[in-house]
């Protein structure tokens, strides 16, 4: 294999932000579902006699100069034995370990940044990326291996037992390039450019030459038996389902539905692999029993999609995949809110969703860095799950985006309701809109039908009543007495109060003639 000078290669990788200096760890990767612990599915191992001495090789013996040539032969053997692409394996090892120079590799022989979830191994500061693609620092424990050989084998085991990486194998990826794309999609690393960095390394070192025949099937060599023509044709392979995986966290528990016994448990999502073992439920389980759920998958088979979940019946039990119909999900009510919460306690998880949601809750961080701080609440989720009332608050944290936190250990303050100002209706008062003067004598009604009779000059009092001419008796000579004159100041109109049928009425001056 033609190799470029290592100095040039290092400069290339550094320009892609792929290699880090010793003593610092590249972005956090391999957020494993269970690291293969307590799982009966095993990866194929390598015979130590064929490992070319690498079985005793330590990370401290690796250098940027010897890295590719040293690990490639055994990586190729392990990859072939486990239906994986050696090109992707070697590229990941180079990227994750900085060509073997990272502190994690030098101290813990860990090439792939695979994490430890039992608080053992090497604790290091690492870089994660939130849902918005923003980087932030955190601390995590990483697995420690006895040798580089164990690390390579551990990588194969890790992918084998964690079903969400099923599409990284040769059975579902056409080549190492596609496997690199798929492993990022599956969540191996949070770096948004992770796949492109792997592909650059594969192309730079021509690592696809390690893959050889990319067929995922093992064919039996033909013999010289003269009866070969009479052999029974091979049974056609079953069409496999595909699955898209999402992982949550190991602490989330759900309860089994009333129909859970109608569905089997599987070592992989049903029909996604040729080798899939089904099992019956343990006899002690019943509807309402708690199970741990750490990942989900959307299974697509013959055009139909169904939801599947990976469960454990106890913390130390084996993992199985079951239909989503075997799980009981509550109805979660979410509403807008504008209150505040104070993170009063440390070691509280900050999650992507509330617990018991069909989409699962992935831990995005811890409250340790935010203890005692106050945050605005933008949503509240409430639900009753088998008699227990659950309350979650969604807040926004700069480095993480929107996260959910459970009410336990939280001080919540409701938003103060703005007191509506009491509107005091001012009593409508009628300003004096007319001026009055004494009048006497008589006048004659003239074209009076065009004008109305009022008890007050219109607009001068709140309650002004109109009287029609049909309600009064008009004198035969149209002569009426006048006793008061008024000027409506707003319109500068003149009005007179007349006596008609022994009652006072106001009428416009235009309806009267004076002689």
């Amino acid at each position: 294999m033609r190799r470029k000078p290592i100095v040039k290669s290092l400069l290339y990788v550094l320009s892609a932000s792929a290699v880090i200096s010793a003593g610092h760890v590249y972005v956090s990767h391999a957020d494993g579902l269970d690291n293969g612990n307590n799982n009966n599915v095993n990866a194929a191992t390598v015979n130590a006699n064929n490992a070319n001495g690498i079985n005793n090789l330590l990370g401290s013996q690796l250098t940027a100069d010897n890295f590719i040539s040293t690990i490639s032969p055994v990586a190729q053997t392990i990859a072939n034995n486990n239906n994986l692409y050696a090109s992707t394996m070697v590229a990941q090892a180079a990227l994750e370990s900085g060509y073997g120079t990272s502190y994690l590799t030098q101290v813990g022989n860990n090439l792939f940044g695979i994490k430890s979830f039992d608080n053992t191994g090497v604790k290091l500061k690492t870089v994660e990326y939130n849902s918005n693609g923003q980087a932030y620092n955190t601390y995590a424990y990483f697995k420690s291996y006895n040798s580089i050989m164990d690390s390579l084998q551990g990588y194969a085991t890790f992918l084998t037992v964690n079903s969400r990486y099923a599409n990284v194998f040769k059975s579902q990826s056409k080549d190492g390039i596609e496997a690199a794309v798929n492993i990022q999609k599956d969540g191996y690393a949070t770096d948004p450019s992770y796949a492109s960095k792997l592909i650059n390394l594969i192309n730079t070192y021509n690592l696809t030459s390690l893959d050889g025949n990319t067929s995922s099937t093992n064919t039996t060599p033909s013999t010289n038996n003269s009866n070969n023509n009479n052999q029974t044709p091979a049974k056609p392979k079953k069409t496999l389902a595909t699955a898209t995986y999402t992982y949550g966290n190991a602490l989330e528990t759900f309860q089994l539905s009333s129909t859970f016994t109608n569905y089997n448990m599987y070592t992989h999502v049903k029909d996604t692999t040729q080798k899939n073992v089904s099992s019956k439920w343990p006899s002690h389980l019943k509807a309402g029993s708690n199970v741990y759920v750490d990942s989900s998958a959307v299974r697509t088979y013959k055009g139909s999609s169904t939801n599947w979940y990976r469960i454990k019946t106890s913390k130390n039990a084996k993992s199985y995949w079951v239909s989503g119909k075997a799980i009981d999900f509550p109805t979660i009510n979410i509403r807008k809110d504008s209150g505040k919460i104070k993170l009063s306690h440390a070691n509280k998880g900050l999650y992507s969703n509330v617990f018991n949601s069909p989409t699962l809750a992935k831990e995005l961080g811890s409250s340790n860095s935010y203890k005692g701080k106050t945050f605005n609440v933008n949503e509240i989720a409430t639900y009753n799950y088998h008699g227990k009332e659950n309350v979650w608050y969604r807040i926004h944290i700069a480095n993480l985006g929107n996260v959910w936190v459970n009410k336990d250990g939280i001080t919540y303050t409701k938003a103060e309701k703005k007191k509506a100002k009491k509107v005091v209706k001012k009593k409508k008062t009628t300003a004096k809109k007319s001026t009055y003067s004494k009048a006497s004598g008589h006048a004659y009604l003239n074209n009076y039908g065009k004008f109305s009779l009022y008890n007050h000059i219109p607009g001068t009092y709140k309650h002004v009543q109109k009287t029609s001419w049909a309600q009064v008796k008009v004198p035969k000579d149209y002569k009426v007495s006048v006793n008061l004159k008024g000027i409506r100041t707003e319109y500068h109109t003149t009005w007179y109060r007349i006596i008609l049928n022994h009652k006072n009425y106001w009428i416009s001056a235009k309806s009267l003639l004076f002689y």
Side-chain angles (χ1 to χ4, degrees), residues 394-405:
R394 193 178 79 162
I395 60 177
H396 184 83
I397 297 180
N399 291 335
L400 303 178
N402 287 323
V403 298
W404 287 94
V405 59

Side-chain angles (χ1 to χ4, degrees), residues 191-256:
D191 181 358
S193 59
Y194 189 74
S196 63
K197 293 176 181 178
L198 292 179
I199 294 169
N200 283 338
L201 288 170
I202 291 172
N203 292 332
T204 298
Y205 293 102
N206 190 27
L207 297 179
T208 52
S209 63
L210 299 174
D211 296 332
N213 181 9
T214 60
S215 173
S216 62
T217 60
N218 294 322
T219 58
T220 303
S222 62
T223 65
N224 293 324
N225 192 322
S226 59
N227 295 323
N228 277 349
N229 293 333
N230 297 324
Q231 289 181 350
T232 303
K235 187 177 180 180
K237 280 193 170 185
K238 179 181 178 181
T239 302
L240 295 180
T242 59
T244 303
Y245 298 90
T246 302
Y247 61 101
N249 69 91
L251 301 177
E252 194 166 0
T253 60
F254 289 79
Q255 294 189 351
L256 295 175

Side-chain angles (χ1 to χ4, degrees), residues 1 12 116 181 212 249 277 281-282 288 295 346 352 362 401 481 515:
M1 178 170 63
Y12 163 78
S116 168
V181 173
N249 69 91
V277 180
W281 293 90
S295 62
S352 59
K362 179 182 178 182
S481 298
Y515 294 101

Side-chain angles (χ1 to χ4, degrees), residues 442-507:
H442 297 87
Y444 293 88
L445 294 173
N446 180 53
N447 294 325
Y448 61 89
K450 296 180 180 180
F451 304 93
S452 298
L453 299 170
Y454 298 93
N455 61 338
H456 296 287
I457 297 176
T460 58
Y461 286 87
K462 185 174 182 181
H463 301 291
V464 176
Q465 295 178 349
K466 183 192 296 186
T467 301
S468 68
W469 289 103
Q471 295 176 272
V472 297
K473 185 177 180 180
V474 179
K476 291 181 181 181
D477 58 359
Y478 304 108
K479 186 177 180 180
V480 294
S481 298
V482 177
N483 58 23
L484 193 63
K485 179 181 179 181
I487 303 297
R488 190 176 179 185
T489 55
E490 185 178 1
Y491 299 104
H492 302 288
T493 55
T494 303
W495 294 71
Y496 286 94
R497 191 173 71 178
I498 65 175
I499 300 173
L500 193 60
N501 304 143
H502 307 291
K503 288 186 178 181
N504 290 322
Y505 295 97
W506 283 93
I507 192 169

